[in-house]
């Protein structure tokens, strides 16, 4: 029983359903694992042991009585700190929410609980999901399990590191411009950014509402597919939710590699040689299996980063206005005037990156500059969406590296925000277009650091992505072993 924590998602699921071990035994083993390695990884912002073990024992009871809530009853899942869990702290890794306990569950949380999942709150993140390295957390820096002097990616770095270091088999993250796919890539696991509107945002603390989506990260594809099938589907409490049923894996037709048309990119100087090499090796393999590779023109997507940062900062400046020390957020300077209370609560509560973005967003939304920046960015966003429509009129799926480099060193990019923003060069356009994309591990570099492939599909074609990823994974055996120190 000692090593249940080592199991990947599929093994956890089958072991629970065959009665090989109980949800309690599993949760206890994961707990030992967390206590042993998390002091080095720092993936969790708090240790909710009692809460977890109670949920696990309720699940054990249900299974013992032959009444599991579903085939998922007892499966542990990490929860990012910007997804509301009732009565639990939900701080978005920010000081301004340090005492915030959510009075309600996010829709995704409710759906997981209905099926019996055991929640493991709260994984670390960049403050309000703004960042690409998890270094913007107000509380701690999460490290990459493959090399603890490096970042795990961000902003869902806590979720990715927790999964990669076997502290949970699957976790939820959120992705506004790459925050599920990029950490998944840098930590050698699978991560899905679903089609915009397929997963409810109710109870996800908003960063940029027109881009944010919740999605799963897992060590194997099955975890991503299962969790997506549970959390997707119409939610009347989210006005941007699509009128669709939850994803049904049984209706998925399999995709054959033979004859499949795959859009590929020419490598640029921004992509590191080792990432480029792993990418081209996968393409060679696919070609040998009969896939047709079509080189696409990605030049228009080159503007995705500036468009993204105008839209995302504009939306965040508006969304974060509710944290004023009165409606939300810890209150400072009670003795001063009302204005002083606002100013001190926000000045003390927000970290430097969040402040930078509120300033940028307020500027681009201001009367004198709206047309020049925000208005133009919105028009350019439409062109990005059309560009993707053009791609998918020619190919079935688009393949790119997820991240231009493997995991960088802690502190390497913190003094230069533009360098940090460039970590998202291959992921932001996907959110602007609202299409689904997934990162999967395809190998590692000469230092043993994971490399990921991003597979992007047309709107609502998650099933096509899953089926392709399944065929591809079985051909490349992407299992990437952790170093001894953490294994
Ligand atoms: N790194 C990007 C940003 O800082 C994306 C973040 C995200 O997807 N939440 O905005």
């Amino acid at each position: 029983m000692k090593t249940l924590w080592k199991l990947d998602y599929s093994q956890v699921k089958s072991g629970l359903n065959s009665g090989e071990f109980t949800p309690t035994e599993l949760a206890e083993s994961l707990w030992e694992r967390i206590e042993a390695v998390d002091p080095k990884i720092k993936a969790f912002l708090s240790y909710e042991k009692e809460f977890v073990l109670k949920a696990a024992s309720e699940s054990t009871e249900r299974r013992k009585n032959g009444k599991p809530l579903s085939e998922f009853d007892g499966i542990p899942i990490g929860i990012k700190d910007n997804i509301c869990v009732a009565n639990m702290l939900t701080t978005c890794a920010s000081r301004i929410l340090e005492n915030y306990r959510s009075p309600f569950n996010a829709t995704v949380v409710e759906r997981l609980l209905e099926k019996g999942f055991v929640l493991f709150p709260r994984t670390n993140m960049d403050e309000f999901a703004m960042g690409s390295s998890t270094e913007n957390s107000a509380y701690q820096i999460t490290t990459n399990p493959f090399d603890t002097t490096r970042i795990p990616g961000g902003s869902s770095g806590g979720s990715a590191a927790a999964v990669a270091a076997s502290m949970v088999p699957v976790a939820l993250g959120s992705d506004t411009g790459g925050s599920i796919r990029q950490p998944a890539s840098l930590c050698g696991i699978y991560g899905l950014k679903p089609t915009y509107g397929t997963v409810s945002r109710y109870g996800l603390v908003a960063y940029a509402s027109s881009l944010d989506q919740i999605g799963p990260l897992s060590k194997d594809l099955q975890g991503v597919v299962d969790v997506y099938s549970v959390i997707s589907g119409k939610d009347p409490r989210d006005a941007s939710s699509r009128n669709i049923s939850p994803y049904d894996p049984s209706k998925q037709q399999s995709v054959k590699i033979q004859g499949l048309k795959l859009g590929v990119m020419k490598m640029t100087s921004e992509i590191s040689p080792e990432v480029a090499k792993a990418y081209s090796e996968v393409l060679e393999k696919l070609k040998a299996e009969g896939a047709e590779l079509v080189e696409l023109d990605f030049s228009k997507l080159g503007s995705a980063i500036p468009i993204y940062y105008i839209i995302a900062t504009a939306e965040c400046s508006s969304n974060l206005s509710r944290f004023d020390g009165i409606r939300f957020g810890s209150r400072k300077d009670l003795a001063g005037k009302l204005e002083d209370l606002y100013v001190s609560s926000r000045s003390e509560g927000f970290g430097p990156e969040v402040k930078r973005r509120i300033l940028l967003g307020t500027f681009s939304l201001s009367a004198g500059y709206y047309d020049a920046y925000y208005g133009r960015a919105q028009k350019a966003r439409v062109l990005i969406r059309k560009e993707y429509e053009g791609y998918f009129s020619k190919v079935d799926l688009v393949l790119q590296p997820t991240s231009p480099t493997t995991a960088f060193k802690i502190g390497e990019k913190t003094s230069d925000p533009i360098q940090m923003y460039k970590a998202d060069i291959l992921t932001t356009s996907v959110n602007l277009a609202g299409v689904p994309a997934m990162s999967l591990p395809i190998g590692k570099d000469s230092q043993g650091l994971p490399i990921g492939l991003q597979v992007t599909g047309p709107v609502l074609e998650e099933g096509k992505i899953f089926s392709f990823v399944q065929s591809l994974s079985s051909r490349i055996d992407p299992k990437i072993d952790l170093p001894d120190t953490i294994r």
Side-chain angles (χ1 to χ4, degrees):
M1 287 305 161
K2 277 278 174 234
T3 53
L4 291 178
W5 56 265
K6 279 192 179 165
L7 305 179
D8 62 26
Y9 176 89
S10 310
Q11 294 164 323
V12 160
K13 184 179 172 189
S14 66
L16 285 172
N17 287 319
S18 66
E20 212 178 299
F21 47 83
T22 67
T24 302
E25 286 165 333
L26 175 64
E28 280 171 352
S29 172
L30 288 170
W31 212 267
E32 273 174 33
R33 175 68 175 167
I34 290 173
E35 283 169 356
V37 299
D38 203 48
K40 263 189 255 171
I41 306 293
K42 302 196 183 75
F44 286 93
L45 281 168
S46 58
Y47 296 118
E48 309 294 343
K49 189 171 178 179
E50 223 173 283
F51 172 89
V52 169
L53 293 181
K54 182 165 172 278
S57 93
E58 286 164 5
S59 169
T60 302
E61 221 25 53
R62 287 191 295 269
R63 283 196 175 268
K64 208 165 79 193
N65 298 332
K67 290 202 172 89
L69 293 173
S70 74
E71 60 188 319
F72 311 117
D73 205 332
I75 297 183
I77 182 164
I79 307 287
K80 186 174 176 178
D81 194 35
N82 58 352
I83 300 173
C84 291
V85 177
N87 306 318
M88 184 67 56
L89 283 173
T90 305
T91 73
C92 297
S94 180
R95 292 274 171 223
I96 206 158
L97 284 175
E98 62 192 346
N99 298 316
Y100 178 69
R101 278 184 194 273
S102 172
F104 67 100
N105 280 322
T107 297
V108 291
V109 165
E110 228 160 59
R111 290 186 179 173
L112 291 169
L113 291 173
E114 274 163 21
K115 302 283 182 198
F117 277 89
V118 173
L119 311 182
F120 277 57
R122 323 177 273 123
T123 58
N124 194 24
M125 54 186 282
D126 287 296
E127 185 176 3
F128 284 103
M130 297 173 193
S132 310
S133 67
T134 315
E135 290 165 294
N136 293 337
S137 166
Y139 300 103
Q140 64 199 30
I141 297 175
T142 299
T143 63
N144 189 309
F146 289 87
D147 176 349
T148 52
T149 66
R150 292 173 189 271
I151 55 96
S155 64
S156 311
S159 288
V163 170
S166 304
M167 294 188 258
V168 279
V170 63
L172 287 186
S174 67
D175 190 314
T176 305
S179 279
I180 290 174
R181 289 159 287 156
Q182 184 253 18
S185 170
L186 303 191
C187 289
I189 60 172
Y190 295 74
L192 171 75
K193 196 294 282 184
T195 303
Y196 184 78
T198 59
V199 178
S200 171
R201 290 183 298 108
Y202 180 77
L204 167 70
V205 181
Y207 159 16
S209 315
S210 77
L211 301 158
D212 300 339
Q213 275 293 280
I214 295 173
L217 299 101
S218 171
K219 253 196 199 171
D220 60 15
L221 175 64
Q222 192 65 48
V224 171
V225 175
D226 281 2
V227 170
Y228 181 60
S229 73
V230 171
I231 63 175
S232 56
K234 173 81 185 159
D235 178 14
R237 292 181 293 190
D238 172 1
S240 60
S241 157
R242 281 174 183 260
N243 199 3
I244 51 150
S245 319
Y247 174 71
D248 180 356
S250 69
K251 293 205 181 122
Q252 178 52 41
Q253 290 174 347
S254 70
V255 171
K256 281 211 184 61
I257 290 197
Q258 166 81 33
L260 200 63
K261 283 193 178 163
L262 299 170
V264 301
M265 73 181 281
K266 219 198 227 136
M267 288 298 97
T268 62
S269 57
E270 271 132 350
I271 317 277
S272 84
E274 291 198 272
V275 170
K277 181 164 166 274
Y279 176 68
S280 66
E281 280 170 11
V282 167
L283 298 189
E284 280 310 312
K285 228 170 239 165
L286 288 164
K287 201 167 156 192
E289 300 262 349
E292 188 187 329
L293 306 185
V294 182
E295 197 175 292
L296 298 174
D297 175 9
F298 287 96
S299 54
K300 285 216 180 86
L301 301 193
S303 344
I305 290 266
I307 299 168
Y308 169 82
Y309 276 97
I310 291 172
I311 292 176
T313 56
E315 291 186 21
C316 99
S317 73
S318 159
N319 276 327
L320 270 54
S321 64
R322 66 179 62 121
F323 302 103
D324 55 8
I326 292 184
R327 287 172 297 170
F328 288 96
S330 45
R331 191 171 299 173
K332 301 277 151 58
D333 197 5
L334 290 170
K337 296 196 292 286
L338 179 63
E339 178 82 14
D340 300 333
L341 186 151
Y342 287 147
V343 171
S344 0
S345 301
R346 287 169 70 82
S347 307
E348 287 173 42
F350 291 134
E353 181 61 27
V354 174
K355 285 181 191 155
R356 177 181 297 124
R357 295 191 188 200
I358 292 174
L359 286 172
L360 284 170
T362 307
F363 173 79
S364 65
L365 286 177
S366 60
Y369 296 98
Y370 185 96
D371 290 335
Y373 295 104
Y374 187 71
R376 272 174 79 197
Q378 286 293 16
K379 286 184 191 144
R381 180 177 185 174
V382 175
L383 297 180
I384 300 264
R385 190 175 313 140
K386 291 212 169 115
E387 204 62 7
Y388 272 97
E389 281 165 14
Y391 297 156
F392 292 123
S393 68
K394 290 190 218 122
V395 300
D396 297 296
L397 296 165
V398 173
L399 308 186
Q400 291 168 291
T402 308
S403 163
T405 64
T406 51
F408 45 91
K409 289 270 186 192
I410 291 171
E412 192 179 321
K413 298 189 194 224
T414 36
S415 58
D416 186 347
I418 302 287
Q419 281 314 312
M420 190 68 94
Y421 296 174
K422 282 190 173 167
D424 302 313
I425 205 148
L426 300 165
T427 49
T428 51
S429 63
V430 165
N431 302 68
L432 290 168
V435 292
M438 174 158 187
S439 182
L440 74 145
I442 54 167
K444 48 186 178 176
D445 70 7
S446 50
Q447 302 182 72
L449 301 169
I451 298 172
L453 176 75
Q454 174 172 242
V455 182
T456 307
V459 163
L460 297 179
E461 295 277 13
E462 277 78 1
K464 203 189 249 182
I465 298 180
F466 295 154
S467 178
F468 170 75
V469 168
Q470 182 164 31
S471 315
L472 179 59
S473 306
S474 65
R475 283 167 172 83
I476 56 178
D477 187 23
K479 274 241 174 331
I480 307 172
D481 288 331
L482 286 176
D484 287 339
T485 44
I486 169 124
R487 199 184 289 161

